[in-house]
Every structure is written in structure tokens, then in C-alpha cells.
Amino acid sequence: MKKLLSTLTVAATMVLGSSAMAADYPTKSVDMIVPFSAGGGNDTFVRALQPLLEKQLGQDLVIRNIAGGGGAVGTSRVAASNADGYTMLAASNAMLTLEAMGNVAFTHDDFDFIAKVIEEPYVIAVGDNDKYTDLASLVEATKDGTRVRVGVSGVGSSAHIAAVAMQNRTGANFNIIPYPGGSETISAAMGNHVDAVVLGGSELRSALESGRLTGLAMSYAERSDSLPDVPTFQEAGYDLTLTVWRGIAAPKGIPEEVEQQWVEAIQQIVADGSYEETAANLGTQLSPLYGDELDTFIDNSADVMREAAGDLAK
Amino acid sequence: MIAGYLDGLGMVLQFGTLLAIAGGTLLGIIMGALPGLTSAMAVALLLPVTFGMPPVMGIGMMLGALCGAGASGSIPAILLNIPGTPSSVATTFDGFPMAQKGEAGRALGLSIVASFFGGVASMVILSLLAPPIADFALRFGAAEYFSLSVFGLVIIASVAGKSLLKGLIAGLLGFFVSTIGTDPITGVDRFTFGELSLLTGINLLPALIGLFAVSQVLKDAFEYDPNQRLKDSGHRIDVARPRFMETLRNWRALLAGILSGSVVGPVPGAGGSIASLVAYDQTRRFSKHPEKFGTGHAPGIVSVESANNALLGGALIPTLALGIPGEAATAVLLGGLMIQGVTPGPMLFDDQSGIVYGIFLAYLVANIFMLLIMCLGIKLFIRVLMVPRKQLLSAILVLCFIGVYGVDGDVFNLYLMLGFGILGYFLNRYDFGTAPVILGLILGPIAESNLRRGLQAFEGDWTPFFTRPISLTFLVIAVGLLALTLWQNYRTRRVPATSSEKGE
């Protein structure tokens, strides 16, 4: 009896203790792991969000770039850290791509996804808009057996997988050429060293605005405000919907209250419009998603990636 | 255009903006001088600070950090033989020997003034010629990158030291190390042994710090001669002050640096690390006294340092005119520009709002602040040499660890750094040299991936490598320089007595 009592006391203390801990969360600065070097899309996204989140959470957010392995090192590190809410991940498609390529030990089930904040479409763009006036002419150009040279950023990257998915759905014949990063890919297209590129909308934004490159199609279900002139694959009659998303994730099993605090913080930032202009300037748009809806979205995206990555491996 | 500059001037000449630029420059100087901390990190740290600022103020602050870090990388290179960044590798060739001769103040003075002139000249070139140079950079496809890297390999002959053969062996070692990681075209893992951190290959910075800094610390620790101390104390450290006239007297080296920085700097992905090496190589090759290079020869320092800051202006050309950043630091800067709502591209130069002129002027002001701060600090920097060796070596090692950990926050890189340190110690001890390894490590991936990318794009046809004009030009120059090197080697071997007398 005495033993039971003491067990109960310990249990009660633990429960009370943890809820008390979660209630004053955060009591110290929070580490935000960016699994890429400074200057990438993930890094810019979260650095722009940093001051707003600090205001909402009332604590410092320390951004740590743990790059390497195309995001594998930093993401693995977060998956293995304590689920106490003091280590968070700037998440994006890249983690699903890594999972689909099968080089890493984690899956998306090792994380609690807190929020999706912004998204952008994949865009296929060309440098020579006289030769390729629309998606149909690009597909048509490969019918006689010649291959269209398509540049992507990084071998096995999500853009690479998206390009494979586009090739499969349109039946075009692509010669997919991987470049080290977005800027090298864009300059190759501007210099006509490749015919087309597949990249995220924000990376292509300034090239499209200046008219150096022309967007032929993008992977949203409907046209977006940030790129109103670029038609969708759906419009061209191909069933292809993919998005590049960025958000916040935590190691699996963080306290309910902590997750709630983060969701409320982000909801508040979305509601007061303080991030909207920044998101638009970066060529992305706010597309907040939380809770069960978010989990369904992540599961679906992971399936699409796995399917396309399977084709890549063939 | 005049009206644009006047508008820009109005934006720059405000107390807050000037303060922001000065603050950014100071941060850049501090971070550039510490081995391992890079200008990209300095700019990334400033990024959230700039959000609330007007565009020219925020961008000026980040440009200041770029400019400061570009100039201060020479301080550890000269005083300690430790390049803080890949682009200051070449500063060690003549800067450190000059410091060893007791002329550290002269070396610093030359490098500061050369950096300033390089920065200002590149700002002028940037403001006048950005769109055409950007278009030229776009003509670099896979074939051109490949030929550029072949051309770069000829530099090994200049940095090889005593034996060309040993230099080539060290260069090949760098080439081999660069094959570690994910295959750039097919995505297969090579030599990674299941280590996640190796998936993206050997990171350049741990290799650089290991080969130069850690190996130098090992050398100083193992080969410490107690009698040396007495000799050292006899050295009088010369007066540290900026050397304007002497820099200008070496105007040919200055010009070579500015040209190389402005022409090679804008090529995305390749320019940053090799522009200063190209400048050193060309200055040495066409000098009347090539044998003096490597012994503390002033033109060697002037060409490298002017190239170092000229390439920043060069790297800004594709960033501003096309929205294509050449390397990490300008990539962060581009993110900052876009958050400010400034969209880079040709339209930026037609824009009448004066923002682009404000950016040019802010870069000019950043160079002036850099000169001022460095001139004020020069007497302080040189005191590093007065720190007793035991304390200095351990402090350097601590800084190396901090810097390399800061790159990616990955502990694996620390082991990598120590491994390269031991390798570097033995390479130096047996006269192979460490500079060729770094050159191989930088050029290897460019050569390999572009050769294969080119073959894939040309559907297996190799003739475009020889028929595309820019590509052919680089290859012909490379073969020409190689022939010249072999001939010079042959000649010096035929008359060894006379040349060694001259070298003494």
C-alpha cells in the first residue's frame, strides 16, 4: 500500500511537473535547426520568421545551420533530440525526398508536424520562348526522338524528382541534367546551355519577372497570385499537383501544450498579416495548415515523392 | 543617371545608414579575421537585423560585412600563415615570408591598401559594366567551366614550390579527395562508408583550416627550437601603417588583381575561390623576377589582395544584374534583397528610384570604412606576434575548432579538420605543399561534373569542348602556359648555378 502510494505520488508529481513545465514554456531559448547552409530557401524562410516568433513566444530563437548530406545530417539530429520543445526543425519537402530516396534512417513518422507556413509551386521554365511557346510545344518537340535538355538543382533533389514526375505525366522525353544548385541551373537556362529548368517558384521569381525565362507550367492545382501568367499542368490536361512547402516540425512526442503554443504563435503571425508581405517578396505564399489536416497532407506528399523517386531509381 | 546617383547619395548620407554600414564592416572584419568564420555567416547574422530598415540601409550593412571580411582574411594569413577563407590562401605565399623577415607591418599595410583599391575599382566596374559582364558570364556552359578548371590547374605550377612533380602529386591528392561524396550526375555514393556527413562531400573549410592552420600549429609545436626564441626576440617589428605609395608603385600587380577579380569573380560557382590564385599566377608569370615570389615579394601580396576585394564587386554583378548569386555570401545577400522587396535583374538597372545607385554608393562607403577601421586597427593586429608562442598556438587551435564547428554545426567536420591537419604537416615536411591540394579540391568537382554534364548535354559528343570559342581559348592558353612552364623548368635545370645565385 505504501509502495502504491509512493508510486502515485511520484506519478502525480511527474504529471503536475510536466504540465507546469509546459505551461511556462518556453523558459529558455529555443534551438531552430535549419538542415541547410545559410542562404538557402529554408534558411531565409525561418530567419524572416525569427523576430515574429520571438515576439510571440517571448524567448530567443537560436537558428542553427546544421548542413550536410542534402539536409540529412540536421534532420537526423532533430529526430534524435529530446521532444521537449527546445529543439525544432525548419522542415520542407527535402526531408520527404531524403526519405523517398532511402538514404536516411528517419521517416516523417519520427516527427510531429506543427505547422505548414508557406508554399510555392514547381515551375518548368524555358529560356527560348520563341521555340517553346507553351507546354504542348515542349512536349511535341520530343516526339521525334530528340531529347529536351532539362536542368534541375541537385541530383536526387525534390526538383529532380518533380522533373521526373513531369516527364512521366506528360510523356515527354527529358534529358535531365543535375546542377549543383538553383543559381547554376538558372544561369544555364539563361545562357541556353539547357532548354528548360524545373525549380521552385521563388528561386525562379526574379528570372521570370525580368523576362529572361518564361514559365510554361506550374504544379499548383490552380493559378497562383505570385505567378498569375503561368498556367497549371491541370489546365494543359495533365493530372499533376505538387507543392514545395516549408514549415515547422518537432521530434515525435512533444507535449501537447507546447505544440499548442507554437500553433497559436503561428496562427497569430498569420492573422495579423506581419509575415504576408515577406512571404510574397520571397515569391511564396502563406498557406497555413495545422493538426490532422497537416498530417494528411504530409502523408500524401510522402506518397507522391516515393512514387516519383521509384521511377528515378529505375 | 546623375539624378539617380543624387537620389542614392541622399539615401546613403544619413546618419543611420552610415552607422549601419560601419557596424556591418566592423562585424565583417572581425569574422573574416577569425579562421573558419566566413563572410556568409556574417551576412546571415545580420539578415534579421536588416528587416526593419529601409533597403539601402539594410543592404549597405550587409555589403559592409562582405567588404570587411574580404579584406581582413589577410590578417591571419600574413601574421600566422593561416588563411581564414579559401580566397586568402594565396596571401600566405608572400605575406607570411614577409612577416617572417620582420616586415609584418609592411605586409599588412600593403594588403589593406590593395584591398581598398580593388574594392573601389570593382565598384566602378560594377556600376558601369554590370549588364554586359553578366551576359558574358552567362555564356559559360559546361564546356567553358571544364576548360576554365583545366586552365586553373596550370596554377599548380606556380604554387608547387620546389618540385613540379611533387606539386602535381599533391594536386592529384586533392582531386581524389574531391571525388568523395554523392556522384554529381548519377547520385551514387562514393567513398562515404555510410557516413551521412560525407554525402555532400568533403567540406572545403575543414580541409582548408586543417591543411593550413592545424598543420602550421603542429609544425610550430613539434619543431620548436628553444634557441629560435633568442633570435626571434632580436627581430624588431617594423612600423605598421598603410602603404599607399608602395602599393601604387606595384601598379601592374594591382591591375592584374583587379582584372582577374572582375573577370573571373562574376562566373557563378567557380570565381570566388580561384580569382586570387589566378591573379597571383599571372603576376608571377609575367614578372621580371618570378624567382622572388614566395619569399615575401610585394607584388605577390598586392595582386592577391586587390583580386580578393575586386571579386566581391565581381560576384555582385550576376547577383544584381541576373539574380544569380555566385557563392554562399552573395546568396544570403540575395535573400536579404528579396525580403526588402528589391528584385534583382536587368530592370533593377533601369529603375529610376535610385536604389541601385544607393547600393553602389553604399558599397563605396563600405570600402572607405574598411580602410579607416583597418588603418586604425593595424597596430592592434600586429600585437598578435608579441603573444608568447605557447598561448598563441592553443588560442589558434581553439579558434579553428570554433570556426569549423560553426560552418555546419557538424562534429564530423572537426575530425576531418584534424585529419587534414596531420596530412598537411607531413605534406609540408616532405615538400609536397598544401596549396596544390586545396587547388585540386576546388577545381576537381568543377572539372569532373562539368565534363560529364557537358557530355550528357551534347549527347555524348566531345567536340564542342574544342569548338566553342571561349572553351577553346581557355584550353589554348592552358596548353601555352604549360609549355612555358616546362620550358622554364628545362632552362633553369640547364643553368642551375646562375639561377640559384640570383635566387639568393
Side-chain angles (χ1 to χ4, degrees), chain A residues 36-40 43-45 47-51 63-73 76-77 98 101 103-105 146-149 154-156 160 175-180 183-184 186-188 190-194 202-203 205-207 209-212 277-278 281-283, chain B residues 40-41 44-45 47-48 51 131 134-135 137-142 144-145 182-189 196-200 268-269 321-326 328 331-332 334-336 338-341 343-347 405-411 449-450 453 456-459 468:
Chain A
F36 298 95
S37 312
D43 184 66
T44 319
F45 149 68
R47 278 183 201 273
L49 203 56
Q50 181 186 13
I63 294 178
R64 300 184 56 203
N65 297 87
I66 304 186
V73 179
S76 305
R77 184 83 65 85
L98 288 167
M101 296 294 288
N103 286 333
V104 289
T146 55
R147 299 200 292 174
V148 174
R149 295 165 301 170
V155 59
H160 191 175
N175 177 6
I176 298 177
I177 304 172
Y179 282 81
S183 54
E184 288 90 344
I186 293 173
S187 54
M190 285 184 180
N192 281 320
H193 306 292
V194 292
S202 66
E203 278 182 299
R205 182 167 167 265
S206 79
E209 270 186 11
S210 67
R212 290 275 184 146
E277 196 189 339
T278 313
N281 281 344
L282 289 172
Chain B
M41 277 183 237
L45 270 180
L47 196 59
F51 290 158
D135 279 325
L138 280 184
R139 292 169 64 182
F140 275 67
E144 286 76 15
Y145 275 105
T182 309
D183 181 301
I185 307 295
T186 62
V188 178
D189 299 352
L196 281 180
S197 302
L198 282 177
L199 276 179
T200 36
L322 301 169
I324 298 172
V332 188
L334 182 71
M338 291 177 70
I339 289 172
Q340 293 277 5
T343 308
M347 289 172 323
Y405 183 74
V407 178
D408 280 342
D410 189 354
V411 178
S449 63
N450 282 296
R453 203 172 282 140
Q456 194 186 344
F458 306 136
E459 302 280 356
R468 296 172 65 101

Side-chain angles (χ1 to χ4, degrees), chain B residues 191-215:
Chain B
F191 309 115
T192 60
F193 303 104
E195 172 59 53
L196 281 180
S197 302
L198 282 177
L199 276 179
T200 36
I202 300 276
N203 203 314
L204 189 60
L205 213 67
L208 179 80
I209 301 293
L211 285 174
F212 284 88
V214 177
S215 73

